């Protein structure tokens, strides 16, 4: 079983997945629980990573709908 990623590794991998088009601009990212299961980390760790990416303008929250990739991300 692989070692769960650090916060930095988690953020870098989410950014990689966005940059490679797995999560294209405007698309909804998987739920917190799905990401938690995928990365084998706690839900709170996913919340912190998503919050960091929202602060950076990479992700945008839409109340009642979820979290989406910003239409124009910063590189």
């Amino acid at each position: 079983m692989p070692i769960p990623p650090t916060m930095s590794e988690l953020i870098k991998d989410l950014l990689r997945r966005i940059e490679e088009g797995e999560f294209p601009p405007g698309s909804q990212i998987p739920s917190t629980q799905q990401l938690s299961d995928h990365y084998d980390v706690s839900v709170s760790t996913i919340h912190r990573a998503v919050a960091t990416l929202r602060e950076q303008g990479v992700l945008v929250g839409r109340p009642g709908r979820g979290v989406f990739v910003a239409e124009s991300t910063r590189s």
Side-chain angles (χ1 to χ4, degrees), residues 35-54:
L35 290 172
S36 173
D37 292 344
H38 176 80
Y39 288 105
D40 193 27
V41 296
S42 70
V43 169
S44 65
T45 298
I46 296 297
H47 279 295
R48 289 197 318 268
V50 167
T52 298
L53 292 173
R54 286 177 67 178

